[in-house]
Amino acid sequence: MRAPEGAADRRWRLRHLPVLLIASVLLGAVAALVGGVVGGGDAALGAAAGVAVTAASYTLTTVVLAWADAVNPQLVLPFGLGLYAAKFTLLGVVMVAVASTGWDGLLPLCLGIAAGVAVWTGVHIWWLTRVHRRGVAG
């Protein structure tokens, strides 16, 4: 049985996405700036790319799981697990391939991924506890 607010508002599953994407774009700009100052062009590109990889991964997950939940909530688990396995396999293959090139942007790429995860998660928690809660309570 669907919650009444979910049935009345079909877009609730994606409402948080613009805020998270804006935070990721801002982080990507800061990461590129810091990477460029600390390590040059390769570091700037690597740091920004790491944030972009995280944002793309989380956005894909958000959209696919929102679709699965809208179609049938029982699809969320199999789609979520399948997507998780596919994304981490692809990420592993890409990271091994990049590491084999000796590119100077590899460490900044990893740091950008870690920063992207931390910021995305932090902003998502903020959104859920401050913005979403106000909308549900009000």
Side-chain angles (χ1 to χ4, degrees), residues 35-108:
V37 168
V38 172
D42 284 343
L45 180 61
V51 174
V53 163
T54 302
S57 172
Y58 282 6
T59 299
L60 176 65
T61 299
T62 299
V63 171
V64 168
L65 294 183
W67 169 82
D69 187 45
V71 171
N72 182 347
Q74 292 181 339
L75 293 175
V76 171
L77 182 62
F79 272 84
L81 291 174
L83 193 56
Y84 180 84
K87 287 189 325 182
F88 278 93
T89 300
L90 179 62
L91 180 62
V93 168
V94 169
M95 293 300 284
V96 167
V98 170
S100 71
T101 68
W103 180 49
D104 289 336
L106 179 63
L107 181 58

Side-chain angles (χ1 to χ4, degrees), residues 124-134:
H124 200 170
I125 290 169
W126 167 82
W127 189 88
L128 287 169
T129 59
R130 303 289 182 200
V131 178
H132 180 67
R133 180 176 294 224
R134 257 196 323 252

